[in-house]
Amino acid sequence: LMQALKECLKRLPQASRDLLYHRYADQENAQQLSKQLRISPVAVRLKLMRIRNAMKTCVEGKIV
């Protein structure tokens, strides 16, 4: 599972990886990220949802 996660992370665009890193490793919330990215908190949440869905699909494809 960890190998699949690593491989799927590598496939993401750098901006998506950076967003995930700041959200989960740095524990920044949507409000904080929205200020950095100069987009609304709703847009940040939507981006994160799409990235998580892409990761889920990728990981599921690798472990089946």
Side-chain angles (χ1 to χ4, degrees):
L1 186 60
M2 286 302 292
Q3 185 63 31
L5 272 172
K6 288 177 185 178
E7 289 176 26
C8 291
L9 272 172
K10 287 180 187 176
R11 289 185 176 187
L12 288 176
Q14 185 64 46
S16 296
R17 286 193 303 253
D18 290 345
L19 185 57
L20 285 177
Y21 179 84
H22 290 297
R23 174 62 188 101
Y24 296 107
D26 292 343
Q27 297 183 343
E28 294 179 14
N29 63 32
Q31 190 71 31
Q32 294 165 318
L33 292 168
S34 73
K35 289 178 185 175
Q36 292 173 16
L37 300 172
R38 297 185 179 139
I39 59 176
S40 73
V42 172
V44 170
R45 289 184 197 100
L46 284 172
K47 283 179 179 278
L48 286 166
M49 181 183 71
R50 290 179 183 130
I51 295 167
R52 287 190 300 262
N53 283 338
M55 287 292 296
K56 179 180 181 266
T57 300
C58 180
V59 169
E60 286 174 345
K62 292 198 173 294
I63 60 174
V64 173

